[in-house]
Amino acid sequence: MAVSASSTHCLSTFARTSALLHPGRSHNIVHNMATDDVPVSNHLTLREGVFQYVRRVPEDLRDAFPFARVQRSLRTRDKRAARADALALDEVWDDHFAEARRRKGLSPGPDGPAALVAEGWTWPDWQALASWFGASLAEEDWRARLGSTSGAALTAERDLSRLPWRDPAVVREHIARGRALREGTVTDYAEARLPFVQGYVRRLGVSLTRTDPDLERFMAACLTAELAYLDVFQMREARRGGLDHLHPDAVDGPWKHAASRPGSHPEPQARPTTIDSEVCRSLADCRAKWVENRTKTKKQARPDYLREMDRTVAAFEAHAGVGDIGLIRRRHLLAYRDHLDTATAYKTATINKKVGFISGLMATAANAGWIETGLGPDLYLEVPEDEDRREPYGDTELATIFAHPVFTQGKRLTAVKACGELQFWLPLIACLHGMISSEILQIGPDTVGPHPDHPDMLCFNVTNAGERALKTLARRRWVPVRRELIDLGLPALVAAAKQEGRKSLWSAMEAQAGDVTRVSGYFSSFWAVFSRGELGLTTEGTSLYSFRHGFQDRLGSAGYGGEIKKALMGHAESGMTGRYGTKKKPRAVNVVELNEAIQRLPWPFLTAVRGEARPTGLRIAGPGAAVAPA
């Protein structure tokens, strides 16, 4: 939306207005801030390579200005110059809005209907506000745990082992945040977290501006408070304490005195200000910011994940009829969620994943300061207890599956979704090794070979190297190859892939340019039809994933304990050992014991399985050993 003619006139008088309001100051601002450490204005944005100044007129002043948004091209591609110009414009428009409020008899806060004026505050007032901010973080975390907290944790003796844990994704986010905050500077924190802090203190009616003389020191105090909160969070996760945090209401500050004055109506604490106007940004912009944030923290942004996110965004925007994130409301996402629940065949987990795409992107926008708040909690459908209950294949079902001509006579179904040789190899590898389909699809000639410490032992190297994607870091592991696969032709597949210079062992992956999501979807669809239609397997809860469940059950029946199961299946460590710290390498395990478990598990059906062609010129150097020339 363009600025009106009146606003254009207003903007054209920037230099004159600035000089009148702040004689001799504008030049010094630009001069003093023409360095790389100039703070970034909340209202600076980049469009087609040129920096723009875009700022909304506060809600309480819409009737005082003939336009809803200030928008001006800074006519520069130079970041340093743009930052200085935008900060100078911040001061000018702060004063315009403050003067408009004085004329209306309102508080002169620059960003909205503030109930509290910070002019004249002393440092103890700002310090108290930072303490309130830290206490609010700790209180929100405690409230998130409270519903699941056992009474034993609240008695005088306090059985801390009964404290509930937060969701692993929340824990990972806190760990990453703590690492970033400890490594960054106060300036870094002010740039990245000012909108986040503003979202909290606005609940008290306080509005922050980058022109506040105490802002940098206040942000340093907020950084201290947030780091202290992260220590409390870690104590709670470790079940070592953190229960005696200060409640925000116990922090004394100017906001309490303002609330007690007659005629004062501070903004309710539990309801941050919302904005009902366009911000000229879309969910695609949020997606780009999300990818940027992932890249900065050295996290993956998988192409298949992004494609699914893009499809969800397009479907959501079409359903909601809105594209600007400033207009997206909680009701839009709830309506989209309910539409998926009633008008599609998606399972609840899939619907929640799609809802998570949109709510996550909106949270990214809030963290970037583009909007004031995200879409809030309680957006997801409750997963029915029996929806995701998967059952393993039993011995009779396995015998039926592997007696089919695909596994005994070299027959290959020609449907595209049967995925060529995968119809033989994927179920077999999944059954004998407990690997999931995405791991099997990403097997390449570089990931089948001798174990580095045991060159006589052939293994699958489940890795994220070569742009491969894993569900979690714990999934990186070495899985010894069952020796029957050597006789069935696995080495021949590896040799052919190497000779042809292919990244994957599988023709279907090559045909789909390595798109794991697409090939996985094809094969899952094929298997659902094949297993029920052609094999007649109709046991409730069975699917392609049943092979993995059956492998785990088989390990337990053979007497193997948790460590062997975790190492072979890529399960994370339980308890605090696994909740903190990043493992740069797969955990150390005794691969000889893993090989013994793989080779000894009983699979009666294996005696009847036949490959397409038995490899020649190869020998096996021992049980489960690597392949070497004869």
Side-chain angles (χ1 to χ4, degrees):
M1 182 174 67
V3 181
S4 68
S6 300
S7 65
T8 303
H9 169 73
C10 194
L11 287 169
S12 68
T13 61
F14 158 62
R16 177 173 58 82
T17 307
S18 182
L20 289 172
L21 293 173
H22 309 290
R25 189 175 67 178
S26 296
H27 170 75
N28 291 334
I29 290 172
V30 176
H31 173 74
N32 292 336
M33 294 189 300
T35 59
D36 287 338
D37 62 350
V38 177
V40 178
S41 167
N42 278 342
H43 312 107
L44 182 65
T45 187
L46 187 66
R47 292 180 182 168
E48 298 180 355
V50 178
F51 283 95
Q52 309 274 328
Y53 183 85
V54 181
R55 182 170 183 176
R56 296 184 298 271
V57 174
E59 292 282 319
D60 60 328
L61 296 178
R62 289 290 170 82
D63 60 344
F65 291 86
F67 46 87
R69 188 174 70 251
V70 177
Q71 182 172 326
R72 175 181 178 175
S73 172
L74 299 179
R75 299 181 181 179
T76 181
R77 297 175 184 269
D78 182 78
K79 182 178 180 181
R80 185 172 56 185
R83 290 164 76 176
D85 289 347
L87 203 62
L89 279 167
D90 272 348
E91 296 202 34
V92 171
W93 283 101
D94 284 354
D95 289 323
H96 279 316
F97 296 150
E99 180 59 26
R101 286 195 179 89
R102 290 188 183 97
R103 289 196 301 267
K104 293 182 66 174
L106 300 175
S107 161
D111 290 323
L116 193 62
V117 181
E119 293 177 3
W121 276 21
T122 61
W123 171 242
D125 297 327
W126 289 105
Q127 196 168 34
L129 186 61
S131 298
W132 178 90
F133 165 68
S136 297
L137 295 176
E139 176 66 15
E140 287 184 0
D141 174 69
W142 179 240
R143 287 179 180 274
R145 302 173 192 265
L146 204 54
S148 303
T149 300
S150 168
L154 305 176
T155 62
E157 291 78 14
R158 288 190 176 177
D159 181 3
L160 297 180
S161 67
R162 307 293 293 275
L163 280 177
W165 284 321
R166 294 293 301 275
D167 183 89
V170 175
V171 176
R172 288 193 295 270
E173 186 275 330
H174 276 65
I175 293 172
R177 193 200 318 171
R179 187 180 301 113
L181 295 187
R182 287 178 174 85
E183 293 175 355
T185 65
V186 172
T187 298
D188 296 333
Y189 182 78
E191 286 195 16
R193 301 293 277 176
L194 180 58
F196 178 76
V197 175
Q198 174 69 89
Y200 274 81
V201 301
R202 184 170 281 124
R203 303 175 191 178
L204 300 176
V206 179
S207 287
L208 302 175
T209 171
R210 293 180 184 273
T211 59
D212 285 329
D214 285 312
L215 182 66
E216 185 172 48
R217 191 173 181 187
F218 170 67
M219 292 304 293
C222 289
L223 172 57
T224 302
E226 190 163 358
L227 287 170
Y229 156 66
L230 291 171
D231 288 340
V232 170
F233 180 89
Q234 185 166 335
M235 289 176 65
R236 290 170 178 172
E237 284 298 298
R239 295 176 165 179
R240 291 188 288 105
L243 275 64
D244 298 318
H245 69 279
L246 183 67
H247 192 282
D249 290 349
V251 180
D252 190 21
W255 55 91
K256 285 195 170 183
H257 307 301
S260 64
R261 289 198 299 264
S264 176
H265 301 286
E267 185 176 341
Q269 249 187 262
R271 193 182 62 201
T273 302
T274 58
I275 300 299
D276 292 315
S277 61
E278 295 178 349
V279 297
C280 296
R281 293 199 184 261
S282 66
L283 288 171
D285 296 319
C286 300
R287 187 256 209 197
K289 186 67 174 177
W290 182 82
V291 172
E292 177 188 328
N293 293 342
R294 299 281 295 183
T295 302
K296 285 180 179 178
T297 55
K298 298 181 179 180
K299 296 179 180 177
Q300 288 184 334
R302 303 193 312 272
D304 54 310
Y305 186 87
L306 292 176
R307 281 192 293 272
E308 187 176 358
M309 178 186 288
D310 291 341
R311 288 193 293 267
T312 301
V313 166
F316 168 76
E317 289 180 336
H319 183 269
V322 293
D324 191 293
I325 59 174
L327 301 178
I328 294 175
R329 292 290 167 267
R330 179 184 176 87
R331 66 177 181 273
H332 294 132
L333 185 53
L334 294 178
Y336 178 63
R337 179 201 70 186
D338 294 342
H339 160 72
L340 295 177
D341 188 33
T342 57
T344 73
Y346 291 131
K347 289 191 174 182
T348 304
T350 302
I351 294 172
N352 286 343
K353 183 178 182 181
K354 293 179 179 295
V355 169
F357 283 140
I358 307 303
S359 64
L361 291 175
M362 292 294 286
T364 297
N367 193 50
W370 298 343
I371 58 176
E372 296 300 327
T373 184
L375 298 182
D378 303 323
L379 295 167
Y380 301 104
L381 296 174
E382 185 175 355
V383 179
E385 290 185 3
D386 60 345
E387 180 176 284
D388 199 34
R389 186 176 296 165
R390 295 165 176 164
E391 295 292 336
Y393 286 126
D395 286 343
T396 302
E397 291 167 315
L398 290 176
T400 300
I401 292 170
F402 292 105
H404 190 275
V406 165
F407 301 100
T408 60
Q409 299 174 20
K411 178 181 178 180
R412 296 293 178 264
L413 304 177
T414 58
V416 173
K417 290 187 176 182
C419 298
E421 70 280 358
L422 272 172
Q423 60 194 278
F424 173 83
W425 287 103
L426 194 151
L428 195 58
I429 295 174
C431 181
L432 302 181
H433 303 83
M435 294 167 63
I436 61 175
S437 58
S438 63
E439 294 170 346
I440 298 169
L441 292 177
Q442 295 180 90
I443 294 175
D446 59 328
T447 62
V448 183
H451 189 276
D453 298 330
H454 297 274
D456 61 338
M457 189 180 298
L458 189 67
C459 291
F460 294 118
N461 180 11
V462 182
T463 175
N464 56 357
E467 299 182 351
R468 293 177 172 89
L470 295 180
K471 187 175 181 180
T472 65
L473 290 177
R475 290 287 174 92
R476 292 178 297 182
R477 63 198 190 277
W478 293 91
V479 181
V481 174
R482 179 84 179 201
R483 57 175 167 265
E484 284 87 347
L485 295 194
I486 297 171
D487 292 334
L488 290 170
L490 180 64
L493 276 177
V494 175
K498 285 183 177 178
Q499 185 175 2
E500 296 170 15
R502 292 192 278 116
K503 183 177 179 179
S504 174
L505 292 191
W506 320 116
S507 59
M509 285 289 288
E510 293 294 313
Q512 299 298 331
D515 191 328
V516 176
T517 300
R518 178 171 295 183
V519 178
S520 180
Y522 279 174
F523 196 81
S524 294
S525 176
F526 158 76
W527 189 257
V529 174
F530 175 75
S531 61
R532 283 166 169 71
E534 189 150 347
L535 300 179
L537 302 179
T538 58
T539 302
E540 185 68 27
T542 55
S543 66
L544 198 57
Y545 213 85
S546 296
F547 289 118
R548 181 169 167 86
H549 284 275
F551 177 77
Q552 177 169 289
D553 287 353
R554 191 69 54 122
L555 284 173
S557 298
Y560 292 104
E563 288 305 309
I564 295 293
K565 291 180 181 178
K566 290 175 186 176
L568 285 174
M569 303 188 70
H571 288 161
E573 295 284 357
S574 58
M576 296 315 301
T577 303
R579 291 177 74 83
Y580 292 97
T582 300
K583 302 176 179 64
K584 295 183 180 295
K585 297 180 180 179
R587 60 173 171 264
V589 295
N590 187 340
V591 73
V592 174
E593 292 183 4
L594 302 187
N595 184 57
E596 178 186 280
I598 288 287
Q599 307 306 333
R600 288 189 175 183
L601 288 183
W603 303 105
F605 66 80
L606 265 178
T607 56
V609 175
R610 298 288 181 269
E612 290 179 312
R614 191 179 181 87
T616 59
L618 300 170
R619 66 178 175 81
I620 303 173
V627 182

